[in-house]
Amino acid sequence: MVSRFSNITSDISYNSRIIFIKDGFKIFKDWWLIGAGGGAWRLLNFKYQSFLYWSTETHNYPLQVLVETGLIGIIILMLLFASIAFTFAKLCRKGEFEKDNGYISNVAVFTAIIFLIAHSVMDFDFSLSSIFLLAWQLVAVLNSGVRHYDLSVEYGLNKNNKQKIIKNNKLLNTNIKTLFYREINCYPLIMILVSIAILFWPIKFLRGQAYANDAFENFKENNLDKALLLMEKAVNTDNLNAKYVTGYMPIASKPDVRIGYLDLLISKAETVSKSSESNGNGEDKLALNSYISKAKELIKRVERQANYDADLALNLGIFYLKTTDKDKGIEYINKSVGLKPLVPTQWQYKANALYSLAMNFYQKGDIKNGLAYIDKILAIIDEAKKVNEQNLSPFMFTIETQKYLEKAYCIKNGIMDTDDIVFQSVFGMDIDNNNFADQLGVSDIAIVGNYLSEGIFRVSNQDQNLDPYIYTRTLDFEPNNVYKIEVKLANRENVESVPFLIPGVTNKIGQLVLNGDIYSAEVSVVATSEINRLYIYVKDNYDIESIRVIKK
């Protein structure tokens, strides 16, 4: 037991809760008076996180109240706690309350309340409706004991006043009844009606879910008109669920399947476009215009929520990127990244959106705007670096994000045909600030990497008795193709050749031979695997200007 308490500060769960508290106070700092509203932690905690975690609960009820209701809410909560303590103290005043079964019961109830409140400070007990209801029931039981005690004092319900009880029995009953109605000020029937009215909302939610499920069934049968009408009913039935407008995922394991109203509208628009090319059906266009008109109303309804909901902002961004208002799409994508800056996939969506727009401009011959968006893609590196400066556990870009940045780097340097480029080093991509390019790994600590401001990445072997190597990410080779490996060094005069290996492709270590100012070799790929990485063995010091793998 002693060892458990002595090691508590090294416990992961304990340290995580300390971080939750710190991040909770960051939110409170920006929403200190009336709080950020119900569910604020779930929506806002990603923006304020010290490192990436996926807890949807604060694990601390007072902190949750502080975040959601601000200073006003926490003061009311503290007054409630104080009133509970005062209530119990009132029951226990010496000489004024018999220590009988009633006394023991109230002590037990008060103890239970205290333990529930105490544990809610370190866990999400009160997020469970059954526990929360139990706590309030216990408070009600304790309060009833106080009311009984007050009546006992007022009307003489104690051993010393038995005669008064008998004499004033009728008066006592009348006053209790009057007191009950005066304090509660409502009849049980009213509470029953209120409860029934409250039950109306979950019924609405379930009905909205049913409409959404029916829409999905029609979507699978390619009946888009019926699916749109059903999803519109889902939106109108449960207008609090923005996912019915955009981003609704009926299958959790398949996030690419989205059938919100706007998502269905995009599918309908694509269908109408193909249909118009073949037979020019005017009825479909009229129906589409009607859907678009409805979509505009729905978008206005959910746009305010997107200021605080990263997923909704992302979904709106994706929608706008598929329309003519692409700048607004980028705006919402940026909002999404700002609300979840430590989530790598958010940066991937941003890189994808910017790259798509850049290619769109290049295809139209608008080189100036295309290049402007290429610069925005490369600027993601510095943006992510800045975010990671305050991150206790720096994140890395996803492989897909790295690929977008590699292509943007090539285009920036005049290589427009990026389809055949399998790998392109971008040594400035060091968003975790460890002085080692994020695209590369290292086999041994004998290798020391250092990015130089001139765009050169220097790797050094600190132990000549070892054969350490640096390696790239997994390379997307295609079977039965030839690929060329190119490595450019700034210190070519000191290096005769560069040893390399691609597991699963080359059977032994080969040599990149100097040809002009580039060390190169060609390899034939018969089959591919997940271990297809380029290993470059570091014999001495390499001042690397570029590493590239190209499909011939």
Side-chain angles (χ1 to χ4, degrees):
M1 180 66 74
V2 174
S3 63
R4 287 185 65 183
F5 277 99
S6 63
N7 292 329
I8 190 169
T9 55
S10 63
D11 181 71
I12 294 176
S13 179
Y14 169 83
N15 290 326
S16 296
R17 282 162 170 73
I18 296 298
I19 294 296
F20 295 166
I21 292 172
K22 290 180 178 179
D23 293 345
F25 274 101
K26 291 178 186 177
I27 300 175
F28 169 69
K29 184 179 177 182
D30 288 344
W31 307 82
W32 63 274
L33 184 58
I34 60 174
W41 174 268
R42 180 181 61 82
L43 291 176
L44 296 177
N45 81 89
F46 287 98
K47 182 179 179 181
Y48 295 86
Q49 285 178 347
S50 302
F51 66 93
L52 181 61
Y53 51 83
W54 296 94
S55 176
T56 57
E57 303 290 346
T58 59
H59 292 265
N60 185 314
Y61 182 66
L63 178 64
Q64 179 181 333
V65 172
L66 189 68
V67 167
E68 294 182 352
T69 61
L71 192 62
I72 293 175
I74 198 66
I75 289 174
I76 293 173
L77 182 66
M78 292 299 105
L79 290 174
L80 173 63
F81 289 165
S83 69
I84 293 171
F86 174 77
T87 297
F88 183 70
K90 189 175 182 180
L91 285 171
C92 295
R93 281 188 296 188
K94 186 175 180 181
E96 294 188 1
F97 193 80
E98 275 193 70
K99 296 187 177 181
D100 55 8
N101 290 337
Y103 172 81
I104 296 171
S105 297
N106 282 295
V107 170
V109 169
F110 179 74
T111 302
I113 293 171
I114 291 300
F115 272 96
L116 282 173
I117 292 173
H119 198 264
S120 74
V121 175
M122 63 185 76
D123 216 334
F124 56 89
D125 305 52
F126 286 173
S127 293
L128 304 174
S129 56
S130 56
I131 301 297
F132 194 64
L133 181 60
L134 174 63
W136 279 108
Q137 287 174 331
L138 290 172
V139 171
V141 170
L142 186 66
N143 186 55
S144 69
V146 175
R147 290 177 58 211
H148 178 72
Y149 168 73
D150 288 340
L151 291 172
S152 300
V153 173
E154 183 175 353
Y155 297 107
L157 286 174
N158 52 55
K159 286 184 178 180
N160 300 324
N161 294 296
K162 285 183 180 179
Q163 299 299 321
K164 188 175 182 180
I165 295 171
I166 298 170
K167 185 177 180 180
N168 298 324
N169 189 51
K170 185 176 180 180
L171 176 63
L172 174 62
N173 291 335
T174 302
N175 281 331
I176 289 177
K177 192 177 293 186
T178 304
L179 183 63
F180 175 79
Y181 290 131
R182 187 174 68 247
E183 288 193 355
I184 301 301
N185 200 28
C186 69
Y187 293 93
L189 180 60
I190 295 176
M191 296 304 297
I192 292 172
L193 293 175
V194 170
S195 299
I196 293 173
I198 292 172
L199 284 173
F200 173 73
W201 289 102
I203 293 172
K204 280 190 65 176
F205 299 155
L206 290 173
R207 189 59 185 156
Q209 180 71 57
Y211 282 132
N213 291 337
D214 289 343
F216 178 54
E217 294 302 319
N218 280 274
F219 171 76
K220 290 193 294 184
E221 296 172 3
N222 205 31
N223 189 350
L224 292 177
D225 289 307
K226 184 68 173 177
L228 278 162
L229 289 174
L230 287 166
M231 191 54 73
E232 182 180 345
K233 287 183 178 181
V235 172
N236 292 331
T237 303
D238 181 4
N239 54 15
L240 298 178
N241 192 342
K243 291 190 181 298
Y244 292 153
V245 176
T246 178
Y248 175 64
M249 294 182 291
I251 306 174
S253 60
K254 295 182 179 179
D256 293 335
V257 179
R258 298 165 183 257
I259 62 159
Y261 189 89
L262 299 183
D263 308 307
L264 291 171
L265 179 60
I266 292 295
S267 299
K268 179 64 179 178
E270 292 172 352
T271 303
V272 170
S273 177
K274 293 177 183 177
S275 176
S276 298
E277 290 175 3
S278 59
N279 54 30
N281 192 333
E283 291 183 4
D284 282 344
K285 288 186 176 180
L286 288 174
L288 180 61
N289 289 333
S290 174
Y291 295 141
I292 291 173
S293 177
K294 178 63 179 178
K296 289 179 179 178
E297 295 177 16
L298 296 178
I299 288 172
K300 288 180 181 178
R301 187 188 300 179
V302 300
E303 276 188 328
R304 284 188 63 188
Q305 298 179 44
N307 292 326
Y308 312 106
D309 189 329
D311 295 335
L312 179 57
L314 176 62
N315 290 327
L316 284 175
I318 293 171
F319 170 75
Y320 276 118
L321 287 172
K322 293 180 180 179
T323 66
T324 55
D325 199 352
K326 299 187 184 301
D327 287 337
K328 200 161 188 176
I330 293 297
E331 178 187 337
Y332 277 110
I333 294 289
N334 283 331
K335 279 185 181 180
S336 175
V337 173
L339 289 167
K340 284 187 175 181
L342 305 186
V343 180
T345 51
Q346 302 299 111
W347 296 92
Q348 180 178 320
Y349 281 117
K350 181 174 182 176
N352 173 274
L354 292 171
Y355 185 78
S356 298
L357 287 177
M359 292 300 97
N360 187 47
F361 280 117
Y362 275 114
Q363 288 170 4
K364 293 178 179 178
D366 190 346
I367 305 301
K368 182 179 179 181
N369 280 320
L371 188 58
Y373 275 98
I374 289 296
D375 288 335
K376 288 180 181 180
I377 297 171
L378 295 173
I380 288 176
I381 296 173
D382 289 332
E383 292 170 15
K385 273 185 177 182
K386 188 174 181 180
V387 169
N388 265 338
E389 287 175 359
Q390 305 298 323
N391 189 358
L392 296 180
S393 179
F395 67 90
M396 303 278 281
F397 284 141
T398 64
I399 297 299
E400 291 302 315
T401 306
Q402 292 182 21
K403 291 177 182 178
Y404 287 123
L405 288 165
E406 290 171 19
K407 290 180 178 181
Y409 181 86
C410 289
I411 293 172
K412 179 71 174 177
N413 287 277
I415 305 173
M416 297 303 301
D417 186 6
T418 61
D419 292 339
D420 291 335
I421 295 180
V422 178
F423 179 84
Q424 170 64 58
S425 59
V426 184
F427 294 135
M429 195 191 306
D430 175 28
I431 64 170
D432 58 350
N433 300 300
N434 67 348
N435 287 327
F436 210 91
D438 295 341
Q439 298 166 289
L440 303 176
V442 60
S443 66
D444 197 281
I445 58 173
I447 291 183
V448 176
N450 186 24
Y451 175 68
L452 306 180
S453 58
E454 295 81 6
I456 297 173
F457 184 67
R458 175 173 294 168
V459 288
S460 306
N461 185 351
Q462 304 296 308
D463 189 344
Q464 296 299 322
N465 295 319
L466 299 175
D467 290 320
Y469 55 85
I470 59 175
Y471 58 89
T472 67
R473 58 170 174 77
T474 301
L475 304 176
D476 295 329
F477 289 136
E478 295 177 2
N480 304 315
N481 280 285
V482 178
Y483 292 86
K484 186 177 182 180
I485 303 167
E486 296 180 348
V487 174
K488 189 174 183 180
L489 302 182
N491 58 336
R492 291 183 292 276
E493 65 279 1
N494 301 323
V495 181
E496 183 178 345
S497 63
V498 178
F500 79 98
L501 175 70
I502 301 178
V505 175
T506 57
N507 296 323
K508 59 181 180 180
I509 296 176
Q511 298 292 326
L512 298 174
V513 181
L514 185 61
N515 184 7
D517 61 350
I518 294 176
Y519 296 84
S520 63
E522 293 184 1
V523 295
S524 296
V525 177
V526 177
T528 63
S529 71
E530 293 182 357
I531 61 172
N532 291 158
R533 295 185 176 94
L534 172 61
Y535 290 9
I536 297 177
Y537 288 85
V538 183
K539 292 296 185 181
D540 195 3
N541 297 327
Y542 293 163
D543 289 348
I544 307 175
E545 294 183 14
S546 174
I547 300 173
R548 185 180 300 159
V549 180
I550 311 168
K551 178 183 174 183
K552 292 202 70 178

